[in-house]
Amino acid sequence: MSLASFISEFSNCSSFDFNARPKPPIRRKRIRSLLMTLSTNRPLYEEEWFHGVLPREEVVRLLKNEGDFLVRETIRNDESQIVLSVCWNGHKHFIVQTTIDGHYRFEGPAFPSIQELIMHQHLSELPVTGRSGAVLKRPVTREIWELSNDDVVLLDKIGRGNFGDVYKARLKSNKNEVAVKTCRMTLPDEQKRKFLQEGRILKQYDHPNIVKLIGICVQKQPIMIVMELVPGGSLLSFLRKNSATLNTKQLIGMCRDAAAGMRYLESKNCIHRDLAARNCLIGYENIVKISDFGMSREEEEYIVSDGMKQIPIKWTAPEALNFGKYTSLCDVWSYGILMFEIFSKGDTPYAGMSNSRARERIDAGYRMQAPECATPEIYRLMLKCWEYEPESRPHFDEIHTIVDSLANS
Ligand code: ADP
């Protein structure tokens, strides 16, 4: 069916007889918007209700009310499939079928484009399949943070992450420079979901000491996370490069920034689980921003059940290592190690010890010596963060108060 004949059939169709319907103005408006939508003949990915390769969990989160729908793409065995997802007695996902002559359909008529198929289903209010009874009532459009891949121009490579390279980039819309984390196309879907987890968590946060999310690009591969560009890069490299010039006041300032960011996260019930100098960024005037939320969880307590393979042992609290039990007080332990990294200007903790040796010795009561630049107050705070019993450690609120008063003294 061509576009023109679809529109004409649609307009003449008795089930769309305006006079017979209870809400004629709405229906006329919908027809007008349909004509506009179809007359532009734009590619599918420009449709506001097309969400690209947005993972299923995200899709389910977006479809809240009966009849909410969106269209997305999945890649199976290197083949792309277009899927219509609908909130209807739970969530239903329908793969768009292609006919031998290259048209698109579900159970009803075929159309030359996916847009026409979707609009037909939406406006006719006919069930997508007889069995599901699912009716498309309200298209769910892309959220503000779902950017198009074409909105971003990658410039230089500035880092290497777990999932792919990190670039300095420019947004076409406002020419602002941003940082973009890319996810290797060859990674399995499960990994891509993990990659996007960081975006999902960061999306809700707004604090000067937490790296800001600008958006995610999921319209096509490679999927990308767009963040504010923090010009100094990783705090660990910065400490090592500038060890000769950094003074105590500056180092305390860094600890205060990190404590402010962590206090905010704790107030939001977010456990970072990977706080370390390598995962902090340093910006203008040495401001520290907490980054790398790949392992974070939004829970008061998180029990690891999927193995502890990639755990940063030397940064992780004993109860997390021994029982997989994570709370914000584990982040407090890691914060103590971060303080050590800052005051030693980038030394590796427990130098000369293997991970398992460090773990053994901590269980036996060993704690690292004060780094050279640490004042007695700073070292006392580090030791408090390394109390074996989590309940004996200070919360970030208290830590921030202490460090802030040291920074101002
Ligand atoms: P992953 O979470 O995949 O391990 P990271 O967050 O550790 O990736 O990023 C890798 C490196 O990229 C960082 O060490 C840093 O040098 C650089 N980087 C990451 N995010 C930014 C950013 N927002 N601004 C500037 N550089 C960044």
Side-chain angles (χ1 to χ4, degrees):
M1 186 188 274
S2 72
L3 174 61
S5 59
F6 165 66
I7 293 170
S8 116
E9 181 178 292
F10 174 81
S11 315
N12 294 330
C13 175
S14 61
S15 62
F16 297 104
D17 177 354
F18 299 145
N19 301 325
R21 308 286 293 188
K23 295 179 200 155
I26 293 174
R27 188 144 296 277
R28 278 203 193 96
K29 225 159 122 195
R30 279 163 80 185
I31 297 232
R32 265 202 305 278
S33 84
L34 165 82
L35 290 170
M36 274 169 62
T37 309
L38 296 181
S39 62
T40 58
N41 227 356
R42 55 188 170 195
L44 178 62
Y45 66 79
E46 283 184 12
E47 295 295 345
E48 282 298 308
W49 38 261
F50 180 68
H51 292 248
V53 287
L54 193 67
R56 205 187 247 238
E57 292 94 325
E58 287 295 310
V59 167
V60 163
R61 200 181 49 73
L62 291 178
L63 302 175
K64 295 189 186 99
N65 302 311
E66 206 74 343
D68 283 358
F69 71 93
L70 58 80
V71 176
R72 64 192 173 95
E73 186 182 359
T74 57
I75 314 280
R76 284 269 146 76
N77 304 328
D78 272 353
E79 265 192 40
S80 152
Q81 285 176 334
I82 301 298
V83 178
L84 165 68
S85 295
V86 191
C87 178
W88 197 266
N89 290 330
H91 290 94
K92 305 273 183 303
H93 306 275
F94 306 94
I95 295 173
V96 174
Q97 308 292 326
T98 313
T99 61
I100 1 173
D101 52 349
H103 285 196
Y104 303 95
R105 66 184 295 251
F106 296 111
E107 278 181 1
F111 294 90
S113 74
I114 292 171
Q115 286 96 313
E116 288 164 83
L117 171 66
I118 299 300
M119 281 303 140
H120 161 74
Q121 288 299 151
H122 177 33
L123 295 162
S124 69
E125 295 179 5
L126 294 169
V128 183
T129 61
R131 200 161 150 231
S132 69
V135 173
L136 310 190
K137 291 191 182 164
R138 190 183 73 96
V140 172
T141 52
R142 287 199 291 271
E143 291 189 318
I144 188 151
W145 47 271
E146 286 181 71
L147 303 176
S148 156
N149 293 55
D150 299 334
D151 293 343
V152 180
V153 185
L154 299 185
L155 303 170
D156 312 313
K157 183 172 153 179
I158 52 173
R160 208 186 143 75
N162 282 328
F163 298 91
D165 293 330
V166 182
Y167 292 87
K168 180 171 160 178
R170 180 171 294 120
L171 285 184
K172 276 189 191 159
S173 55
N174 55 11
K175 307 265 184 302
N176 280 354
E177 285 194 334
V178 291
V180 171
K181 281 190 181 186
T182 59
C183 183
R184 277 189 298 282
M185 295 197 214
T186 47
L187 289 178
D189 275 6
E190 178 55 25
Q191 289 295 313
K192 288 185 183 140
R193 270 194 285 276
K194 277 201 180 142
F195 172 77
L196 281 180
Q197 158 92 354
E198 180 167 19
R200 180 167 49 221
I201 290 196
L202 277 179
K203 190 174 78 189
Q204 325 160 68
Y205 300 151
D206 182 15
H207 189 275
N209 302 110
I210 305 288
V211 68
K212 220 164 251 98
L213 178 84
I214 293 170
I216 59 170
C217 302
V218 288
Q219 275 191 306
K220 47 189 180 190
Q221 306 275 0
I223 54 178
M224 310 194 282
I225 297 179
V226 183
M227 294 177 300
E228 70 170 309
L229 178 71
V230 189
S234 135
L235 173 62
L236 183 60
S237 321
F238 180 84
L239 288 166
R240 289 177 178 172
K241 261 189 242 147
N242 298 283
S243 61
T245 52
L246 285 168
N247 62 39
T248 307
K249 195 160 179 60
Q250 288 169 316
L251 301 177
I252 295 181
M254 290 175 183
C255 291
R256 183 199 40 209
D257 288 352
M262 292 309 296
R263 179 178 63 166
Y264 177 79
L265 290 185
E266 185 174 1
S267 76
K268 301 273 176 196
N269 269 340
C270 173
I271 317 172
H272 188 285
R273 294 176 69 224
D274 200 6
L275 179 62
R278 63 180 174 278
N279 291 331
C280 294
L281 297 165
I282 184 126
Y284 292 114
E285 296 176 351
N286 290 352
I287 185 171
V288 169
K289 296 186 184 243
I290 314 282
S291 173
D292 207 339
F293 285 69
M295 279 175 60
S296 311
R297 293 292 178 277
E298 291 170 288
E299 272 154 89
E300 248 171 78
E301 184 176 309
Y302 175 70
I303 309 288
V304 174
S305 52
D306 56 353
M308 303 276 283
K309 268 174 267 152
Q310 285 198 316
I311 299 299
I313 305 278
K314 290 183 175 180
W315 280 259
T316 303
E319 69 279 10
L321 292 176
N322 296 332
F323 312 111
K325 187 182 161 203
Y326 281 90
T327 62
S328 285
L329 291 166
C330 297
D331 282 346
V332 168
W333 178 285
S334 314
Y335 178 83
I337 307 286
L338 171 64
M339 288 178 81
F340 172 89
E341 293 183 280
I342 291 176
F343 279 92
S344 65
K345 298 177 182 171
D347 276 0
T348 303
Y350 311 98
M353 277 187 225
S354 66
N355 280 342
S356 50
R357 179 77 183 133
R359 202 175 153 176
E360 246 170 53
R361 294 207 56 197
I362 287 161
D363 276 342
Y366 169 81
R367 297 294 182 269
M368 283 188 283
Q369 297 276 308
E372 216 178 289
C373 301
T375 60
E377 295 93 334
I378 285 288
Y379 185 55
R380 216 173 297 133
L381 182 56
M382 269 184 223
L383 290 177
K384 273 198 191 170
C385 295
W386 299 333
E387 284 282 350
Y388 197 82
E389 297 303 333
E391 306 78 54
S392 308
R393 294 172 209 150
H395 282 269
F396 280 111
D397 216 7
E398 187 184 335
I399 294 176
H400 181 262
T401 308
I402 296 172
V403 185
D404 193 43
S405 73
L406 292 176
N408 294 328
S409 64

